[in-house]
């Protein structure tokens, strides 16, 4: 069973061919980072139009890499939410059109289920039940995948997503967009002990706005002459130290939250998924804290947005619920984790 999977929920145009849910025959991702970087974040209208331009060639590349033509496909899976409405419409309209033209079954899948299933794709030993920390630019949740197709959300963020906090702090430090990778690089050179930032620990919730505000105040309270005209710290030592202190506080909160989820569920397997799972400090902290458990942090190409994970989620959905027969709308707020 070969599924062509399509992902256009945010700023990556992606297509993949996945065999029997778990074998990634190809996975092509075209990133729009350069398009949005000058704006310091994703501009929805620009993103949707860029998907329209990129999608057909990306699908062709995915089919070419997989070595299967249109006739070698058995179904089409596509992200129908959550995400930016205009972006989701491009992917779902394309997917519904090709499925109708080729008379293939179609499955509208959840981007978040895709992130959860990225761990299952990456790790052949991993089967539910397991607990996943989903950390991306739009989401920070702990999820229990109890069995295929059945997930329960244990905690989520009250304000910013973790990745969003990385992006905003990077902007305050004048480090550019996206913030995660550059904060991680600076943090490696910085001394986190130079600044004291709050440790947030909530019951069944995450929150990053207090930490973000604390970074803002730490910058504001620097001695005169330490800031440039835009209010950005002039010295690399200061920027690196703030990046390190922020990352340490954010990672601690995430790992504490994952630990609470493990205690609540009694899970013996944990996964960290989504763009922020690319963070080495987070992966190391998780490996250290859960040394006795089965731990999965997928490789970078499966952590950041991609279509292979959507193919895996779509395959499970097809198996359990059958195809979506009558056409379907996008759902920008979809909160479905399996
Ligand atoms: O999952 P993803 O690719 O897209 C969404 O669905 O949001 O996640 C993107 C987010 C961005 O906020 C980015 O700053 C963050 O993941 N990110 C990182 C790292 N690499 C990407 N955050 C921390 N450390 C990283 N190395
Ligand atoms: Zn994502």
């Amino acid at each position: 069973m070969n599924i062509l999977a399509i992902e256009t929920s945010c700023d990556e145009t992606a297509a993949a061919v996945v065999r029997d849910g778990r074998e990634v025959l190809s996975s092509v991702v075209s990133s729009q980072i350069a398009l949005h970087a000058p704006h310091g974040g994703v501009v929805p209208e620009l993103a949707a139009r860029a998907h329209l331009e990129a999608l057909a060639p990306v699908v062709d590349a995915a089919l070419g890499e997989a070595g299967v033509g249109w006739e070698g496909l058995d179904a089409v899976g596509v992200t129908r939410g959550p995400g930016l409405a205009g972006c989701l419409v491009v992917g779902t309209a394309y997917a519904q059109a090709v499925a109708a033209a080729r008379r293939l079954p179609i499955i509208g899948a959840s981007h978040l289920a895709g992130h959860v299933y990225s761990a299952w794709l990456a790790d052949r030993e991993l089967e539910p039940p397991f607990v996943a920390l989903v950390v991306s630019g739009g989401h920070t949740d702990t999820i229990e995948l109890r069995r295929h197709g059945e997930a329960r959300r244990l905690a989520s963020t009250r304000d910013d997503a973790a990745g969003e906090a990385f992006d905003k702090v990077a902007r305050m430090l004048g480090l550019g967009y996206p913030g995660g990778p550059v904060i991680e690089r600076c943090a490696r050179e910085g001394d986190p002990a130079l600044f004291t930032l709050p440790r947030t620990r909530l019951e069944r919730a995450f929150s990053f706005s207090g930490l973000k505000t604390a970074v803002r105040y730490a910058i504001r309270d620097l001695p005169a002459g330490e800031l440039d005209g835009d209010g950005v710290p002039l010295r690399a030592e200061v920027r690196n130290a703030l990046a390190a202190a922020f990352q340490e506080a954010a990672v601690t909160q995430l790992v504490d939250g994952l630990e609470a989820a493990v205690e609540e569920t009694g899970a013996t397997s944990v996964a960290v998924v989504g763009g922020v799972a690319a963070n080495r400090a987070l992966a190391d902290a998780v490996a250290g804290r859960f040394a006795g458990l089965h731990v999965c942090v997928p490789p970078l190409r499966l952590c950041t947005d991609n279509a292979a994970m959507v193919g895996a989620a779509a395959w499970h959905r097809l198996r359990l619920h059958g195809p979506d027969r009558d056409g379907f709308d996008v759902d920008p707020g979809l909160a479905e984790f399996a």
Side-chain angles (χ1 to χ4, degrees):
M1 152 77 66
N2 290 335
I3 293 186
L4 168 66
I6 289 166
E7 154 64 41
T8 63
S9 66
C10 189
D11 62 342
E12 340 272 356
T13 312
V17 179
V18 179
R19 176 169 291 166
D20 298 333
R22 214 168 198 175
E23 193 187 339
V24 182
L25 300 186
S26 67
S27 179
V28 177
V29 180
S30 164
S31 170
Q32 303 177 6
I33 284 178
L35 176 68
H36 301 293
H39 306 280
V42 178
V43 183
E45 185 79 15
L46 293 180
R49 292 170 63 177
H51 285 308
L52 194 54
E53 216 173 299
L55 187 51
V58 164
V59 168
D60 281 346
L63 292 175
E65 242 176 61
V68 301
W70 287 101
E71 50 304 319
L73 296 176
D74 302 293
V76 180
V78 61
T79 302
R80 71 175 187 93
L84 300 166
C87 294
L88 292 164
V89 164
V90 175
T92 48
Y94 178 97
Q96 292 192 28
V98 295
R102 309 292 316 185
R103 300 189 193 291
L104 294 170
I106 185 160
I107 311 104
S110 160
H111 181 84
L112 294 170
H115 276 305
V116 170
Y117 273 111
S118 71
W120 180 82
L121 262 184
D123 182 349
R124 293 260 164 183
E125 317 265 271
L126 183 68
E127 287 297 335
F130 64 85
V131 166
L133 172 67
V134 183
V135 266
S136 71
H139 289 270
T140 305
D141 306 277
T142 43
I143 300 300
E144 183 190 18
L145 186 69
R146 304 173 102 168
R147 57 181 70 89
H148 291 301
E150 187 189 328
R152 166 167 82 114
R153 175 152 60 185
L154 302 161
S156 65
T157 181
R158 287 190 184 159
D159 38 64
D160 291 349
E164 193 180 357
F166 272 86
D167 294 336
K168 287 178 176 169
V169 168
R171 201 192 302 196
M172 288 181 223
L173 297 175
L175 299 173
Y177 169 86
V182 61
I183 292 266
E184 178 171 12
R185 234 176 297 128
C186 291
R188 239 176 272 139
E189 312 291 320
D191 177 3
L194 292 184
F195 292 92
T196 307
L197 297 176
R199 294 299 157 98
T200 312
R201 189 158 192 184
L202 303 174
E203 280 288 312
R204 290 178 144 267
F206 297 94
S207 167
F208 293 93
S209 69
L211 176 57
K212 191 184 66 187
T213 304
V215 174
R216 193 184 303 286
Y217 288 168
I219 295 172
R220 185 196 64 185
D221 295 342
L222 287 169
E226 288 274 2
L227 300 180
D228 70 10
D230 295 324
V232 171
L234 282 166
R235 289 193 301 126
E237 187 195 352
V238 172
R239 292 194 300 269
N240 293 346
L242 277 167
F246 163 76
Q247 180 174 275
E248 195 175 275
V251 163
T252 301
Q253 186 186 159
L254 291 171
V255 180
D256 286 349
L258 183 53
E259 188 169 48
V262 167
E263 279 167 10
E264 187 177 336
T265 57
T268 54
S269 298
V270 299
V272 186
V273 298
V276 182
N279 188 283
R280 205 58 252 166
L282 175 58
D284 289 348
V286 168
R289 186 83 68 93
F290 304 103
L293 305 189
H294 185 97
V295 175
C296 170
V297 183
L300 188 65
R301 67 179 185 284
L302 287 173
C303 286
T304 50
D305 286 349
N306 65 88
M309 68 182 195
V310 175
W315 184 77
H316 283 289
R317 218 184 143 69
L318 179 63
R319 209 168 47 87
L320 293 164
H321 305 291
D324 290 293
R325 290 180 200 289
D326 304 319
F328 51 86
D329 193 5
V330 301
D331 185 349
L334 184 66
E336 194 177 270
F337 291 89

